[in-house]
């Protein structure tokens, strides 16, 4: 493939139709290369499948009228596909493709493709020549697929780096979504089926720079209350904030990283224990109680030896008029279950009474992991 050719003109040159066409095609090819190299293809705006409830006058059955919203997509060849107004999906066209299928609850794919439609010119033409197209409408067509045709989307191969946008009969399938079909009518729409979802346009970049000094990432094109956002601010003081949008459009912080590295969180913190660190749990437990693990330690980490436990027990002094008591047992078994027995003696009783009973302990559980490179 040759390098891109840019038309050049000189004074007195006679311009042929091919010269003018080359001027247009150079710009189109440059735009297509930009779209392919710096963006991922897919839906850029709109084009969602929408439903309106309807009633079949003959049977009284409820169904939905499905339409594709106006919008813009960029296919994998870098060509823009513009749908200027909502389009109602044709039940007759669906029947032509899938009408012979047995009834099924499986959703059928709906595709958008680019189509060129030559427009007949109305200007002056040379003597003896027929009226020729002077415009090409860069139009579109919505097509229904058969069950499983959504795989065509994943199997499409990108164009060569220097290729212009696709021209007919080349077809690039853009998935708009799926429709369900029951008793001669559409009944529902979906955006995902059989592991293939609607694809949206993206950006390929190693650097994203904000001109205002603040860079925001959110999960929806519009600000919606309760949706998450990540904001990197270069203002004084700089910060990184993760939070949820409020109704006013402001962000309620859930996690903030300050310029000095301080981390502030609104909820609790949990995670895997890191090498060289120690986690602690303490409290009071009675005989037979299972001691808890420190927060962030999983039982499996203890079982497979990644985390070592150190348990310290101190028997609690029970209330006694005489104060004559002694611990018989204050231990913890392999399941972290406390065994505590207390023996008390009452010398006033006749004869002197010895009583063994369940006791309580104060516990301290330390969970440790050897530092990286430490002794094994």
């Amino acid at each position: 493939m040759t390098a891109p050719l840019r038309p050049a003109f000189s004074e007195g040159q006679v311009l042929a139709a091919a010269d003018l066409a080359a001027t247009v095609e150079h710009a189109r090819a440059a735009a297509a290369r930009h779209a392919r190299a710096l963006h991922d293809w897919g839906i850029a705006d709109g084009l969602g499948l929408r439903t309106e409830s309807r009633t079949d006058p003959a049977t009284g059955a409820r169904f939905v009228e499905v339409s594709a919203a106006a919008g813009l997509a960029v296919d994998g060849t870098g060509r823009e596909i513009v749908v200027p107004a909502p389009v109602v999906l044709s039940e007759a066209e669906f029947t032509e493709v899938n009408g012979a299928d047995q009834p099924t609850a499986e959703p059928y794919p709906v595709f958008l493709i680019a189509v060129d439609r030559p427009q007949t010119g109305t200007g002056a033409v040379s003597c003896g020549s027929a009226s020729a197209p002077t415009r090409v409408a860069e139009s579109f067509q919505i097509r229904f697929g058969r069950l499983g045709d959504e795989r065509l989307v994943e199997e499409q191969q990108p164009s060569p780096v220097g290729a212009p946008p696709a021209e007919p009969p080349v077809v690039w399938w853009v998935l708009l979504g799926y429709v369900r079909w029951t008793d001669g009518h559409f009944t529902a729409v979906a955006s995902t089926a059989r592991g293939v979802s609607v694809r949206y346009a993206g950006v390929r970049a190693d650097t994203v720079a904000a001109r205002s000094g603040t860079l925001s990432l959110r999960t929806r094109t519009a600000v919606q209350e309760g949706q998450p956002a990540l904001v990197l601010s270069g203002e004084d003081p700089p910060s990184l904030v993760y939070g949820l949008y409020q109704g006013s459009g402001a962000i309620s912080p859930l996690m903030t990283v300050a310029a000095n590295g301080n981390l502030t969180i609104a909820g609790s913190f949990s995670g895997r224990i890191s090498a060289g660190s120690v986690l602690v749990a303490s409290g009071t437990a009675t005989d037979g109680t299972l001691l808890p693990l420190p927060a962030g330690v999983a039982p499996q980490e203890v079982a497979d030896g990644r985390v070592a436990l150190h348990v310290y027990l101190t028997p609690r002094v029970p209330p006694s008029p005489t104060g004559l008591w002694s611990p018989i047992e204050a231990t913890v078994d392999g399941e972290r279950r406390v065994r505590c027995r207390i023996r008390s003696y009452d010398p006033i009783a006749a004869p002197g009474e010895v009583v063994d009973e369940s006791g309580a302990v104060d516990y301290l559980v330390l969970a440790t992991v050897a530092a990286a490179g430490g002794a094994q």
Side-chain angles (χ1 to χ4, degrees):
M1 182 178 292
T2 61
L5 295 176
R6 183 178 69 249
F9 305 105
S10 59
E11 291 292 339
Q13 176 182 349
V14 176
L15 295 180
D19 298 318
L20 297 177
T23 303
V24 175
E25 291 306 315
H26 178 268
R28 292 186 70 228
R33 289 192 296 270
H34 174 94
R36 289 199 306 267
L38 297 181
H39 300 272
D40 288 325
W41 67 270
I43 295 174
D45 185 58
L47 298 180
L49 297 182
R50 304 289 185 261
T51 61
E52 290 287 342
S53 296
R54 297 287 186 267
T55 301
D56 189 322
T59 64
R62 300 287 292 174
F63 66 98
V64 295
E65 179 183 83
V66 180
S67 60
L72 169 69
V74 179
D75 71 19
T77 73
R79 174 167 175 158
E80 289 186 346
I81 309 176
V82 179
V83 179
V87 179
V88 176
L89 272 57
S90 170
E91 292 182 338
E93 292 179 5
F94 178 90
T95 303
E96 290 179 6
V97 178
N98 298 296
D101 288 0
Q102 294 297 317
T104 177
E106 287 292 316
Y108 290 83
V110 182
F111 300 105
L112 176 72
I113 64 171
V115 175
D116 280 349
R117 304 186 190 280
Q119 305 293 302
T120 302
T122 58
V125 295
S126 59
C127 296
S129 67
S131 178
T134 59
R135 302 287 189 274
V136 176
E138 296 183 337
S139 189
F140 65 91
Q141 185 178 25
I142 294 178
R143 292 186 182 178
F144 296 102
R146 299 186 61 80
L147 294 176
D149 279 353
E150 64 276 359
R151 295 191 301 269
L152 298 172
V153 174
E154 304 297 331
E155 295 171 356
Q156 297 175 116
Q157 298 298 315
S159 302
V161 63
E167 305 287 356
V170 175
V171 172
W172 191 279
W173 304 90
V174 177
L175 180 66
L176 295 183
Y178 299 84
V179 292
R180 297 185 188 276
W181 180 262
T182 304
D183 297 331
H185 295 292
F186 298 124
T187 55
V189 299
S191 59
T192 301
R194 296 175 289 277
V196 181
S197 301
V198 172
R199 175 171 174 154
Y200 294 93
V203 177
R204 301 177 183 177
D206 293 321
T207 300
V208 179
R211 292 171 294 177
S212 66
T214 299
L215 183 65
S216 300
L217 297 177
R218 58 176 180 253
T219 58
R220 296 288 187 271
T221 55
V223 172
Q224 296 182 16
E225 183 175 4
Q227 291 296 317
L230 184 66
V231 179
L232 178 63
S233 175
E235 303 299 328
D236 190 20
S239 65
L240 175 66
V241 175
Y242 168 78
L244 301 179
Y245 279 111
Q246 299 174 326
S248 63
I251 294 176
S252 177
L254 297 178
M255 182 185 74
T256 302
V257 182
N260 60 4
N262 289 344
L263 174 65
T264 303
I265 60 176
S268 61
F269 179 81
S270 63
R272 296 182 60 183
I273 182 171
S274 59
S277 61
V278 178
L279 296 180
V280 180
S282 62
T284 301
T286 57
D287 180 56
T289 301
L290 187 68
L291 294 183
L293 291 173
V297 178
Q300 186 59 40
E301 293 176 312
V302 177
D304 61 21
R306 285 176 290 166
V307 175
L309 294 183
H310 308 270
V311 182
Y312 301 89
L313 302 179
T314 303
R316 294 181 65 85
V317 178
S320 172
T322 64
L324 299 177
W325 68 275
S326 63
I328 302 174
E329 180 184 23
T331 61
V332 62
D333 62 18
E335 296 180 351
R336 306 191 314 279
R337 193 173 301 280
V338 171
R339 300 301 180 190
C340 181
R341 301 290 291 174
I342 300 295
R343 173 170 294 172
S344 62
Y345 173 66
D346 186 357
I348 300 177
E353 185 179 4
V354 177
V355 178
D356 292 345
E357 58 186 329
S358 298
V361 296
D362 293 329
Y363 67 84
L364 179 68
V365 181
L366 303 179
T368 63
V369 175
Q376 301 295 317

